[in-house]
């Protein structure tokens, strides 16, 4: 008997985004980001490499990550194709799939690097070579392509490869007990299992998750089998210390069910936790869910930036000690925030607890969205919360995980806004548009809102099929200090209907019913726990889900970090310096520089009034390089 | 005709330190630090390596830096022997000198690494191999040994090696135009020239300083001659970018006279600038002095910690952008602060401008002194201005430059306190004891003070030889808000006698004359220029020359970084938690942690009264690992 149930995301076509905030951004992804990325893949060698024509000594050696770039790009493209037919894009996707088919080996294997650069070495460097990680992204792309188009052209390819992996990593296989150094294959196998109904894939995912961190450590045995001592960095005292760090780095230091502190590479952690949440449901495994909940607490209690960014140690692209959240040197990889959105979605749907969607929203509107420029063609890999003016977005990266990751998330954003069960439709995110649910027999709900610019939301029912009571579960965001709900004009006593952060309205919904929500959209101050040294004595400014920041370009040459915010300063919403988004304005003070050549002073600081207009964090770095600060000293 | 004159430091025996602050610390160096370092050198392989018995494959491969460790240790030991005979120590020094003599090659060459590990490769990797750097420290040790003992046993050895270097690096030599990747030989050659009267050494130093940074770049030509592309780090886009960074790293990016921003490895910069100041005097070269002054302004105007620490980028142990002075991740290498003291001494003596001695004092009492534990046998390599509780001092390092550097500076501290000219005695530092000057014909001045615990100083004349007027130049420290001077009980109008930071009292000094100084020893707040993002909204506490810090061990488990200091809080001097040093106490507030698991809050911070006792920065980390903060948020 199943003890763990979950709400389900809606199909791509059953939720429509048609608002003033996300719709234009998603159109930018469709019209600019996806084509720009296709251009990068065609000119960067990724497509070409699949012809397997590279020979030792040739320029343009294939990179171990390249199949993952293609997989994520096909995934993003497929999501847009589901709702926005585009014959040219479809032809490009088909071309990529044909190339992948051509590169597939007779036994199903499909990895350019280990076919032409390191033949004969497949599956011998699981810790670092990202082979199964690449397969995972191909699978995710294939499942998305199948969902969007109904075609199995890509799915058939990845199934043949996945079947090989099932043999090699299953009982008696050459890699029995193995798992990848970069988690991803596990969550992908769950998706493949769900798409095909083939239980072998979910079983393999479970085996890999359960094997992780058990002794003898797979990666160390693998190193011995390779007969090489491997890379050794002098930053470590000895090889054992290095091995320990590597274990934590890829979360193989302990069996996953015994892990209680979130550590290591942030994206690896997120992808692992997504798989653990999925497997908790699909294999009915409360132990995996408990581990997820424990590691969630560890993350949100001390290791998450206010933007939902993850990872404060650039040297491992990952987590450091609790409360160590430096703003200038923080990492906050775009991919990690994306992974967090995906994990939070699973946790929200399983637990029906609003705090997961609160974090989903925080990461989405801040840590994720900052990852791309406003024109959708330049990207941040890391997302610091303060800058001395020395960083900017790039068109592409040697390791280009973030750009297509961002594209696939935004292209499928509608599936994150809602979830449904037999008699429940949950609204996690308020985004103008509509949603067609099967809950309670079926209905369509039109959602009208100008969020995040305005706190009001109206949901109107139409095409209602049922005549029994069912539940509309409306998330009450943590950022809304006061919230009111009216049904057909009648105020609802929130205390009576809110449970775990959702207002649960159960009734026989009828044609034309209107639910009106009013959230508090006034700007407010946020403070960090005093154990976060980097934010001591500082406040961040937030409005709705949007964390704001000061950018030097708006301060007439004054660096953002020389602004202090009086405690009594009122925060007002003002037309901002960035078109289309509001600013939080306030009567702040700038500290005047000392005399030239003087670095320290015993004088009181010289303060001058300075009207500041803090822009949403996601919008920063779109107007040239500039100083930036999220956390402002308070005075 | 000489246009650049300088005051001269006094001989080791002509200035006596006999106070309550430095004398016990110097005794610790003599009785504990120097013996502990001898033990390290004997057990760590440095002494043993000089037998040249190491063969490839043996354990304990000699390290490229080892001669420098020995040179600095002999230098420190010699300074103590000058005033404190110790037959055992003298025997150890003689043993080391004998070992060095035995390791010297027939042509004078003396470097273990290039004799037994890399024979045949001498002077082929000047950029990184520290060969001349090691010779420099041997020379400094030999000059100190000669000064202290009158024996030329060590001096004769280094002269033979220096003569080889004069041939090889002079006109027509195999390394003509070459210079070392780590400056040090230049300042040592000046010392050798002064000690021996042989002008060839100072001429070579000048050639090396002048060749540095000229094109074609010596280190790149050297790399080509070696026929290897050399190390390439992926952190750089390409080799040219890496080469540029390396040039800045060792200050060979521009001819030294054209450098205007202080960049690169901090210790390299300091040692270069010491040589430039010395050469400005010894070769009468105003261009070198101007360059020193320009680079000084660049340093004190944006690149120096309030502790006198230098270097904010650990990856290069060096300077980063102006105003980039992070507290947790800062570097502040002990050796760099020591180098700064040495450079500031030259600048003070040449310019007679008190701001140089102000910085000398700042670095000495804070950035340098923090480098050793109170028991004198554990060391910091880097000296951050804040800690999350994860750092502590070590007994030794693989690269052990700092420990003997600290020992040699403190063992010769008396030579930094005073300087003299024909008719002037300058007092740079007020340290209880006495000084016997030749100025004005000769006199001894007894100095009575309890500084830094008490702001009063009395200077009493005895053994006065002369009957003409001469000048006692008394530094008025920048930290003293109000200062009074009385001569034989009579108040002097300071405005009339202070020039460039020194009260210049010119008279026919007589037996029994007493000069009384009263400095303001009240604690005060220091603020950084607002462009220093790390210190925005924060204050540091200082009393006299001592910068203070909060240490978690004194806060009942409250982390130092969760203390805020009200702007109106009075600062009082109190008996401190560390024996023998006072604390700056205040009625501060601690910010209470948020509820468990909560990292961010929209509530006002919960403040509780917290009596704080800030200890002198140099005294931190002597009572176990603990959080620490120099800069406190102000409220």
């Amino acid at each position: 008997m199943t003890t763990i149930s979950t709400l389900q995301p809606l199909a791509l076509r059953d939720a429509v985004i048609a608002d003033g905030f996300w719709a234009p951004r998603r159109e930018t992804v469709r019209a600019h980001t996806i084509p720009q990325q296709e251009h990068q893949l065609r000119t960067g060698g990724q497509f070409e490499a699949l012809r397997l024509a590279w020979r030792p000594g040739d320029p343009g050696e294939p990179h171990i990550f390249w199949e993952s770039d293609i997989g994520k790009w096909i995934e993003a493209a497929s999501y847009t194709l589901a709702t926005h037919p585009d014959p040219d894009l479809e032809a490009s996707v088909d071309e990529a799939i044909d190339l992948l088919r051509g590169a597939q080996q007779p036994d199903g294997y499909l990895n350019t690097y280990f076919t032409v650069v390191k033949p004969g070495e497949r599956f011998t460097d699981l810790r670092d070579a990202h082979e199964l990680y690449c397969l995972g992204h191909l699978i995710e792309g294939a499942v998305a392509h199948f969902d969007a188009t109904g075609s199995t052209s890509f799915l058939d390819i990845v199934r043949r490869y996945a079947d090989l992996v099932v043999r090699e990593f299953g009982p008696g296989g050459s890699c029995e007990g193995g798992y990848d150094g970069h988690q991803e294959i596990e969550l992908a196998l769950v998706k493949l299992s769900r798409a095909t109904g083939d239980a072998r894939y979910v079983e393999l995912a479970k085996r890999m998750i359960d094997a992780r961190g058990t002794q003898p450590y797979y990666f160390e045995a693998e190193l011995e089998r390779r007969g090489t001592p491997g890379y050794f960095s002098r930053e470590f005292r000895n090889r054992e210390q290095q091995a320990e760090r590597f274990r934590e780095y890829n979360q193989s230091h302990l069996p996953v069910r015994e892990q209680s502190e979130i550590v290591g590479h942030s994206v690896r952690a997120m992808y692992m936790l997504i798989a653990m949440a999925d497997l908790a449901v699909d294999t009915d495994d409360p132990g995996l869910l408990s581990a997820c909940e424990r590691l969630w607490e560890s993350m949100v209690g001390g290791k998450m930036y206010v933007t939902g960014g993850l990872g404060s140690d650039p040297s491992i692209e990952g987590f450091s000690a609790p409360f160590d959240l430096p703003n200038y040197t923080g990492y906050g990889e775009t991919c990690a925030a994306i992974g967090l959105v995906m994990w939070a979605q699973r946790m929200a749907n399983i637990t029906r607890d609003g705090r997961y969607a609160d974090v989903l929203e925080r990461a989405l509107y801040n840590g994720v969205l900052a990852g791309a420029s406003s024109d959708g063609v330049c990207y941040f890999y890391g997302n610091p919360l303060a800058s001395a003016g020395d960083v900017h977005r790039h068109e592409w990266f040697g390791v280009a995980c973030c750009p297509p990751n961002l594209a696939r998330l935004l292209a499928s954003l509608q599936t994150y806004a809602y979830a449904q069960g037999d008699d429940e439709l949950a609204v996690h995110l308020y985004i103008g548009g509509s949603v067609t649910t099967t809950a309670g027999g079926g209905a369509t709900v039109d959602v009208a809102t100008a969020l995040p610019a305005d706190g009001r939301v109206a949901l109107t029912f139409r095409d209602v099929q049922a005549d029994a009571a069912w539940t509309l579960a409306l998330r009450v965001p943590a950022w809304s200090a006061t919230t009111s709900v009216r049904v057909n004009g009648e105020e609802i006593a929130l205390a009576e209907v809110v449970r775990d952060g959702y207002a649960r309205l159960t009734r026989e919904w009828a044609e034309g019913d209107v639910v009106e929500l009013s959230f508090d959209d006034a700007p407010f101050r946020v403070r960090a726990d005093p154990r976060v040294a980097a934010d001591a004595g500082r406040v961040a400014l937030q409005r709705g889900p949007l964390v704001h920041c000061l950018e030097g370009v708006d301060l007439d040459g004054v660096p953002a970090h020389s602004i202090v915010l009086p405690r009594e300063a009122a925060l007002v919403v003002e037309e901002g310096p960035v078109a289309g988004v509001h600013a939080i304005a306030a009567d702040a003070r700038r500290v005047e520089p000392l005399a030239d050549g003087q670095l320290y002073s015993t004088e009181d600081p010289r303060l001058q009034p300075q009207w500041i207009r803090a822009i949403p964090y996601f919008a920063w770095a779109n107007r040239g390089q500039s100083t930036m600060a999220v956390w402002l000293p308070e005075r």
Side-chain angles (χ1 to χ4, degrees), chain A:
Chain A
M1 185 198 141
T2 298
T3 57
I4 300 178
S5 70
T6 184
L7 298 177
Q8 299 293 341
L10 277 78
L12 287 163
R13 294 183 189 85
D14 287 342
V16 175
I17 288 180
D19 70 336
F21 185 84
W22 286 109
R25 289 184 165 76
R26 282 158 47 89
E27 178 57 16
T28 296
V29 167
R30 196 195 65 77
H32 300 290
T33 305
I34 290 173
Q36 180 256 4
Q37 296 184 354
E38 179 182 337
H39 177 76
Q40 289 287 349
L41 297 175
R42 287 184 183 278
T43 57
Q46 284 90 332
F47 271 40
E48 198 54 33
L50 292 169
R51 301 189 197 281
L52 306 183
W54 184 89
R55 295 289 171 271
D58 287 355
E61 181 179 301
H63 195 288
I64 57 169
F65 297 102
W66 278 2
E67 274 85 13
S68 73
D69 297 341
I70 293 171
K72 273 189 280 194
W73 176 78
I74 294 178
E75 186 182 347
S78 297
Y79 292 143
T80 69
L81 289 174
T83 53
H84 199 294
D86 178 337
D88 289 346
L89 180 60
E90 204 168 341
S92 287
V93 168
D94 287 342
E95 182 187 343
I97 293 171
D98 288 343
L99 284 166
L100 287 163
R101 191 183 302 106
Q104 189 160 34
Q105 300 299 296
D107 62 357
Y109 187 80
L110 173 45
N111 182 298
T112 316
Y113 183 80
F114 283 99
T115 302
V116 300
V117 183
K118 291 270 175 75
E121 297 186 30
R122 63 161 82 158
F123 303 142
T124 59
D125 183 14
L126 292 182
R127 191 187 75 183
D128 296 331
H130 292 67
E131 244 167 321
L132 298 179
Y133 165 89
C134 282
L135 169 57
H137 279 301
L138 290 175
I139 290 173
E140 287 201 88
V143 171
H145 184 254
F146 172 64
D147 282 348
T149 66
S151 158
T152 63
S153 61
F154 192 8
L155 198 64
D156 292 340
I157 296 169
V158 299
R159 286 193 74 168
R160 290 183 58 214
Y161 188 5
D163 290 345
L164 169 72
V165 170
V166 166
R167 289 193 301 275
E168 297 295 336
F169 287 75
S174 65
C175 303
E176 185 179 357
Y179 44 91
D180 203 77
H182 195 313
Q183 301 92 320
E184 156 64 21
I185 182 69
E186 303 86 349
L187 76 89
L189 287 169
V190 174
K191 280 191 176 184
L192 186 61
S193 198
R194 290 176 181 177
T196 62
D198 189 332
R200 292 177 308 144
Y201 304 130
V202 80
E203 283 158 16
L204 177 59
K206 179 175 156 49
R207 276 202 304 276
M208 286 174 163
I209 285 290
D210 282 340
R212 195 167 203 93
T214 59
Q215 297 193 37
Y217 298 110
Y218 189 88
F219 298 138
E220 286 155 51
E222 171 189 76
L223 211 57
E224 263 181 44
R225 278 196 296 276
R226 286 217 308 277
T228 149
Y231 168 79
F232 176 63
S233 164
R234 282 211 204 170
E235 91 181 85
F236 300 102
R237 278 196 308 277
N238 51 47
R239 285 189 172 272
E240 173 56 20
Q241 197 202 20
Q242 173 169 305
E244 274 171 28
R245 276 288 295 277
F246 258 117
R247 279 178 223 138
E248 285 202 355
Y249 171 71
N250 57 36
Q251 294 89 27
S252 69
H253 57 303
L254 279 174
V256 300
R257 293 158 201 276
E258 294 171 26
Q259 296 183 22
S260 56
E261 183 178 348
I262 199 156
V263 296
H265 188 266
S266 305
V267 180
R268 284 170 163 82
M270 291 302 107
Y271 288 4
M272 176 177 84
L273 288 157
I274 294 166
M276 286 165 64
D278 284 343
L279 286 168
V281 174
D282 287 19
T283 67
D284 193 21
D285 189 334
L288 284 179
L289 186 59
S290 302
C292 282
E293 288 170 333
R294 222 162 42 233
L295 292 165
W296 180 276
E297 294 308 319
S298 164
M299 177 184 72
V300 300
K303 300 196 182 190
M304 183 181 74
Y305 284 97
V306 72
T307 54
L310 300 179
S312 39
D313 181 351
S315 76
I316 58 163
E317 301 186 321
F319 298 105
S320 59
F323 307 111
D324 177 37
L325 293 164
N327 292 310
Y328 283 87
T329 59
Y331 202 64
E333 182 178 341
T334 303
C335 281
I338 291 167
L340 174 53
V341 166
M342 295 171 171
W343 181 33
Q345 178 201 35
R346 270 70 168 183
M347 297 303 288
N349 289 345
I350 295 171
T351 65
R352 284 96 159 155
D353 189 334
R355 65 213 192 91
Y356 293 104
D358 278 339
V359 168
L360 187 165
E361 185 186 53
R362 182 182 291 281
L364 176 66
Y365 280 83
N366 302 288
V368 170
L369 200 49
S373 57
S374 56
D375 58 9
V377 295
C378 285
Y379 312 95
F380 273 133
Y381 198 109
N383 292 272
L385 271 71
S387 167
D390 51 353
V391 300
H392 61 92
R393 295 189 182 84
H394 294 265
E395 288 192 352
W396 204 246
F397 306 96
V399 178
C401 48
C402 299
N405 218 351
L406 198 68
R408 68 175 179 143
L409 178 66
L410 294 196
S412 59
L413 184 62
Q414 65 269 42
T415 67
Y416 293 83
Y418 309 96
Q420 62 188 358
D422 289 345
D423 51 7
E424 178 176 349
L425 173 68
V427 182
H428 296 321
L429 302 172
Y430 296 95
I431 301 177
S434 66
V435 52
T436 299
T437 180
T438 55
T444 293
V445 181
D446 290 324
V447 181
T449 182
L451 268 175
D454 182 299
R456 288 167 296 174
V457 183
L459 302 102
T460 307
F461 286 75
R462 60 178 164 90
D463 302 335
V464 179
Q465 309 292 321
D467 55 3
W470 59 282
T471 301
L472 181 66
L474 298 165
R475 181 173 145 261
V476 181
W479 50 258
S480 178
T482 57
T483 297
S484 76
V485 181
R486 290 188 300 169
V487 177
N488 297 329
E490 205 168 305
E491 183 90 25
I492 302 288
L494 262 191
E496 293 172 17
V497 297
V498 171
R499 206 177 66 238
D500 293 340
Y502 287 83
R504 296 174 189 278
L505 308 177
T506 305
R507 61 170 66 201
E508 288 181 28
W509 293 104
E511 201 73 14
D513 277 350
V514 177
V515 179
E516 290 164 287
L517 295 160
S518 180
F519 299 123
D520 186 349
D521 60 13
F524 57 94
R525 289 167 164 85
V526 180
R527 294 180 184 79
D529 186 282
R531 288 167 288 189
V532 181
D535 303 336
R538 294 171 181 262
V539 290
L541 303 181
Q542 191 174 336
R543 183 185 180 219
L546 295 175
V547 174
H548 284 58
C549 69
L550 275 188
E551 211 174 7
V553 67
D554 297 320
L555 295 166
D556 301 321
V558 175
H561 49 262
S562 64
I563 299 297
V564 296
L565 186 64
R567 275 199 297 284
E568 64 280 6
L571 305 179
V572 298
V573 174
E574 218 180 55
E575 199 55 43
V578 175
V581 287
H582 286 77
I584 300 177
D587 185 16
R589 302 286 178 273
R590 67 169 186 272
V591 185
E592 294 282 285
L594 301 179
D596 249 14
Q598 196 191 352
L599 187 52
Y600 302 105
S601 168
T602 58
E603 307 291 315
D604 278 346
R606 291 180 298 138
L607 302 177
Q608 294 295 335
Q610 175 81 43
W611 189 250
I612 60 166
R613 291 189 296 172
I615 61 169
Y617 172 72
F618 74 77
W620 87 283
N622 277 299
R623 295 170 294 158
Q625 289 189 201
S626 182
T627 56
M628 185 275 287
V630 167
W631 291 97
L632 310 179
E634 204 176 18
R635 190 183 168 85

